[in-house]
Amino acid sequence: MHTDTYTTLCSVLEQKFHVDPARLSPSICLEEIGLDSLSLMEFVFNVEDAFHLRIPEDLLDPRQGGITLQHVCEVIEGLQAGSTTGAGAGT
């Protein structure tokens, strides 16, 4: 997990969802910090905008429970690695 990715995710949570930064850690489930299914979808949209990418639902389904910040980081970094090698999905 890259620090820049994690820092950006934390910034989105702090600025857009008013989450106390002291509560954030890579292993925390997003439900634990108050994101329900609707706000989790909003979070995914904000993350997509922040990283200028689209996250396929099969990689990060906002309806699934137990999503951690670390998992979100891994999904983003995997998509970024794919796009830098030309294997990214066309939009």
Side-chain angles (χ1 to χ4, degrees):
M1 178 175 68
H2 296 286
T3 304
D4 291 346
T5 305
Y6 177 73
T7 301
T8 301
L9 291 177
C10 289
S11 178
V12 168
L13 287 168
E14 293 167 29
Q15 294 174 12
K16 304 277 184 179
F17 297 90
H18 311 290
V19 175
D20 180 359
R23 296 187 65 201
L24 299 175
S25 71
S27 63
I28 196 160
C29 289
L30 297 177
E31 293 91 356
E32 291 178 52
I33 53 175
L35 272 67
D36 60 16
S37 58
L38 180 59
S39 56
L40 188 52
M41 287 178 61
E42 291 177 33
F43 173 66
V44 170
F45 295 144
N46 279 278
V47 167
E48 290 176 331
D49 289 345
F51 289 95
H52 307 288
L53 52 77
R54 290 293 163 239
I55 302 171
E57 211 172 271
D58 62 323
L59 294 179
L60 188 65
D61 185 347
R63 297 168 296 189
Q64 113 189 56
I67 297 173
T68 64
L69 280 178
Q70 180 164 347
H71 178 70
V72 178
C73 285
E74 290 167 357
V75 167
I76 291 166
E77 290 164 3
L79 290 170
Q80 289 174 327
S83 65
T84 60
T85 61
T91 51

